């Protein structure tokens, strides 16, 4: 802020003195602010990333000689964690004197590091402010300079997003390859039994494990199908009504409600499924003499469908609104009713956007976790009965990675194989949806 006002005031003074500046005063201030803010912010991030490791290194050097002799990495990490806990004020029992001394030293080093950071930021900001102030001359193109900095920030953010995606793909790929080196890929893709419990220690009694993923994928498909059976018709009908038939007052009232429904956390939907929908389904089934499992795909899928209604409705409404007005007016001018115009002209023209929204909703349903964990069950079954208990890919990933995990056995590695299959499925669905939207949008534009 100081850099902005200093350079802006300097530019105003020069213009008042008769100088002809290339850029406006606000651009000179913006260039100075960005020139100070960006390097200082990057420096703070690097400092915070490295501070913990450097402070821990200095703290460990001050420990008594032989502290870690004969200890494995786990025991050494427990000692360091205890020292950090004492430094944070969380003392359990009566720790040794050398641990208390190490904790005090750790606190002191962190305090020194904080003051060094303040000093470094102040000195760097002052130098950058001085350099930016010297740039206020008649020929300096401040607007182009500020735009270059903003463009660099946008390129950096896009690059980070790309490399994060690449990192996720590589992490999944490497762990999946390890899994398929232990379990044949044919067993995973075509096996009909999913029992990932295996003995981790030699003295432990457990099953040998079965990693046939078809029941898991089948459960995901059943839950997603139920969700789409609920969400697609309701969402489309809602969009058609709000776009064409609803009075303006109703539209202004219903649209915010749908947006609120889209913002409800999924754990709340899970509670709704467990406490309301599932008991209602069981009670109704009992009244007509039908056996229903305590956790059912119908309850999880139905509530998930309610969650997807605003998603599909919003996509469909945008697709209907994007249809050229001339098609709507031409159909009405030829004598078509509003219903005929919607059914025969407007809806077919908007189908590409609607299909794209539905496919994106499918990927959202496949990746949903919380509702399925709370309402569908944990046991993988070869069934397509929505009244039975099933599980999904996301649920199995959660259960396999809960607790103490060692990334060297097929039970844990199978979670990465499931994650890779889920990633590929959602990627294919999203690509397919984008291709449909792009292909047919060009026709109607």
């Amino acid at each position: 802020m100081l850099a902005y006002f200093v350079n802006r005031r300097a530019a105003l003074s020069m213009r008042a003195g008769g100088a002809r500046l290339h850029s406006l005063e606000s651009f000179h201030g913006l260039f100075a602010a960005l020139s100070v803010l960006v390097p200082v912010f990057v420096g703070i991030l690097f400092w915070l990333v490295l501070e913990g490791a450097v402070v821990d290194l200095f703290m460990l050097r001050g420990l008594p000689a032989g502290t870690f002799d004969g200890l494995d990495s786990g025991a050494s990490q427990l000692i360091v964690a205890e020292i950090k806990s004492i430094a944070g004020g969380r003392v359990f029992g009566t720790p040794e004197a050398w641990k208390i001394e190490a904790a005090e030293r750790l606190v002191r080093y962190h305090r020194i590091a904080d003051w060094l950071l303040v000093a470094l930021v102040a000195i760097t900001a002052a130098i950058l402010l001085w350099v930016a102030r010297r740039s206020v001359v008649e020929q300096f193109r401040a607007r182009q300079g500020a735009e270059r900095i903003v463009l660099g920030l946008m390129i950096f953010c896009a690059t980070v997003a790309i490399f994060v995606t690449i990192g996720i793909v590589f992490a999944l790929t490497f762990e999946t390859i390890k899994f398929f080196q232990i379990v044949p890929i044919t067993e995973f893709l075509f096996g009909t039994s999913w029992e990932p419990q295996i003995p981790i220690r030699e003295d432990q009694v457990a099953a040998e494990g079965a990693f046939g993923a078809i029941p898991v994928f089948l459960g995901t498909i059943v839950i997603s199908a139920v969700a789409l059976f609920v969400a697609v018709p309701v969402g489309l009908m809602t969009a058609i009504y709000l776009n064409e038939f609803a009075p303006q007052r109703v539209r202004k009232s219903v649209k915010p409600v749908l947006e609120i429904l889209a913002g409800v956390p999924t754990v709340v939907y899970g509670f709704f499924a467990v406490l309301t929908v599932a008991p209602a389904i069981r009670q109704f089934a009992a009244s007509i003499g039908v056996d229903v499992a305590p956790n059912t795909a119908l309850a999880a899928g139905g509530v998930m469908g309610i969650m997807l209604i605003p998603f599909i409705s919003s996509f469909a409404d945008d697709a209907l609104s994007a249809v050229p007005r001339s098609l709507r007016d031409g159909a009405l001018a030829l004598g078509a009713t509003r219903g005929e115009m919607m059914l025969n002209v407007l809806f077919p023209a908007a189908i590409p956007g609607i299909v794209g929204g539905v496919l994106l909703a499918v990927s959202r349903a496949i990746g949903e976790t919380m509702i399925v964990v709370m309402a569908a069950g944990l046991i993988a079954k070869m069934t397509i009965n929505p009244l039975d208990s099933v599980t999904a890919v996301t649920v199995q990933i959660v259960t396999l990675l809960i607790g103490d995990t060692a990334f060297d056995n097929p039970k844990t590695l199978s979670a990465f194989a499931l994650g890779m299959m889920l990633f590929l499925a959602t990627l294919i669905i999203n690509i397919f949806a984008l291709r449909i939207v792009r292909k047919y949008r060009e026709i109607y534009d």
Side-chain angles (χ1 to χ4, degrees):
M1 292 177 63
L2 180 62
Y4 177 85
F5 287 114
V6 166
N7 270 37
R8 185 175 182 275
R9 184 169 183 176
L12 285 172
S13 300
M14 292 183 63
R15 191 178 295 277
R20 299 183 61 183
L21 298 178
H22 177 274
S23 302
L24 296 175
E25 299 84 1
S26 58
F27 286 113
H28 282 278
L30 179 61
F31 174 78
L34 293 175
S35 299
V36 174
L37 176 63
V38 174
V40 169
F41 183 71
V42 173
I44 291 174
L45 289 181
F46 274 106
W47 183 280
L48 295 177
V49 169
L50 299 175
E51 177 185 346
V54 175
V55 169
D56 290 348
L57 179 62
F58 278 99
M59 184 270 295
L60 293 175
R61 286 184 175 180
L63 294 179
T67 300
F68 300 116
D69 291 346
L71 299 179
D72 57 8
S73 60
S76 302
Q77 291 175 2
L78 285 176
I79 293 177
V80 175
E82 184 180 358
I83 294 174
K84 291 182 178 181
S85 178
I86 297 172
R90 300 179 297 275
V91 182
F92 303 97
T94 306
E96 293 89 335
W98 63 271
K99 291 183 180 179
I100 297 177
E101 182 182 353
E104 294 174 350
R105 191 165 56 251
L106 182 64
V107 173
R108 185 167 63 252
Y109 287 157
H110 273 294
R111 190 178 297 116
I112 293 173
D114 292 340
W115 282 110
L116 286 176
L117 176 61
V118 172
L120 178 64
V121 168
I123 294 172
T124 306
I127 295 174
L128 293 172
L129 177 59
W130 177 75
V131 173
R133 173 63 183 82
R134 289 174 59 87
S135 68
V136 185
V137 294
E138 293 185 10
Q139 298 81 12
F140 181 65
R141 299 174 179 266
R143 179 173 65 85
Q144 286 82 354
E147 289 176 351
R148 283 195 299 269
I149 296 175
V150 174
L151 179 62
L153 289 174
M154 291 190 291
I155 293 175
F156 173 76
C157 293
T159 305
V160 168
I162 293 172
F163 276 99
V164 167
T165 304
I166 294 174
I168 292 172
V169 172
F170 273 103
L172 288 175
T173 302
F174 290 147
E175 301 299 331
T176 303
I177 291 174
K178 292 181 182 178
F179 173 73
F180 287 137
Q181 290 174 348
I182 302 173
V183 177
I185 188 172
T186 54
E187 178 185 346
F188 177 76
L189 294 178
F190 305 109
T192 59
S193 177
W194 179 260
E195 293 290 341
Q197 303 300 327
I198 62 171
I200 301 177
R201 302 185 308 271
E202 294 183 358
D203 59 342
Q204 186 177 8
V205 178
E208 291 299 325
F211 297 93
I214 287 183
V216 181
F217 295 138
L218 191 61
T220 303
I221 293 173
V222 171
I223 295 173
S224 301
V226 173
L228 294 175
F229 183 79
V230 173
V232 171
V234 177
L236 291 182
M237 294 297 177
T238 302
I240 291 173
Y241 173 72
L242 293 177
N243 186 271
E244 185 62 30
F245 299 100
Q248 193 65 24
R249 184 177 60 183
V250 175
R251 180 180 173 84
K252 289 182 178 180
S253 301
V254 175
K255 287 288 286 186
V257 173
L258 287 175
E259 293 173 359
I260 293 174
L261 193 63
V264 175
T266 56
V267 66
V268 176
Y269 283 111
F271 279 121
F272 176 65
V274 172
L275 301 178
T276 304
V277 178
I281 292 175
R282 290 197 301 270
Q283 184 177 0
F284 176 76
S287 64
I288 60 176
V290 177
D291 293 332
V292 176
N295 297 318
T296 63
L298 185 61
V303 175
M304 191 186 300
I306 296 174
M307 181 190 70
L308 294 177
I309 286 174
F311 191 75
I312 295 178
S313 175
S314 176
F315 263 92
D317 188 24
D318 293 340
L320 292 171
S321 300
V323 175
R325 184 75 187 181
S326 58
L327 294 178
R328 187 193 313 256
D329 295 340
L332 295 175
L334 291 173
T337 64
R338 295 174 68 185
E340 291 171 340
M341 179 270 297
M342 173 61 67
L343 184 63
N344 298 316
V345 177
L346 199 61
F347 191 77
I351 277 182
I354 294 174
V355 172
V358 171
L359 291 177
L360 292 177
V362 171
S363 64
R364 173 74 184 272
I366 292 175
E368 177 55 42
T369 303
M370 206 66 210
I371 298 175
V372 185
V373 169
M374 300 178 68
L378 301 175
I379 301 175
K381 295 181 179 179
M382 282 286 295
T383 179
I384 59 172
N385 182 9
L387 299 179
D388 205 350
S389 175
V390 297
T391 190
V393 174
T394 52
V395 176
Q396 290 302 310
I397 293 175
V398 171
T399 56
L400 290 169
L401 295 180
I402 285 178
D404 296 331
T405 57
F407 294 91
D408 58 356
N409 63 79
K411 175 186 175 182
T412 305
L413 294 175
S414 63
F416 293 94
L418 291 174
M420 175 58 77
M421 297 299 109
L422 189 65
F423 177 81
L424 293 176
T426 54
L427 178 64
I428 292 172
I429 292 173
N430 289 340
I431 292 175
F432 187 55
L434 292 176
R435 285 182 63 87
I436 290 178
V437 172
R438 289 179 180 177
K439 179 179 179 181
Y440 292 98
R441 179 179 293 168
E442 295 176 355
I443 295 176
Y444 291 110
D445 282 348

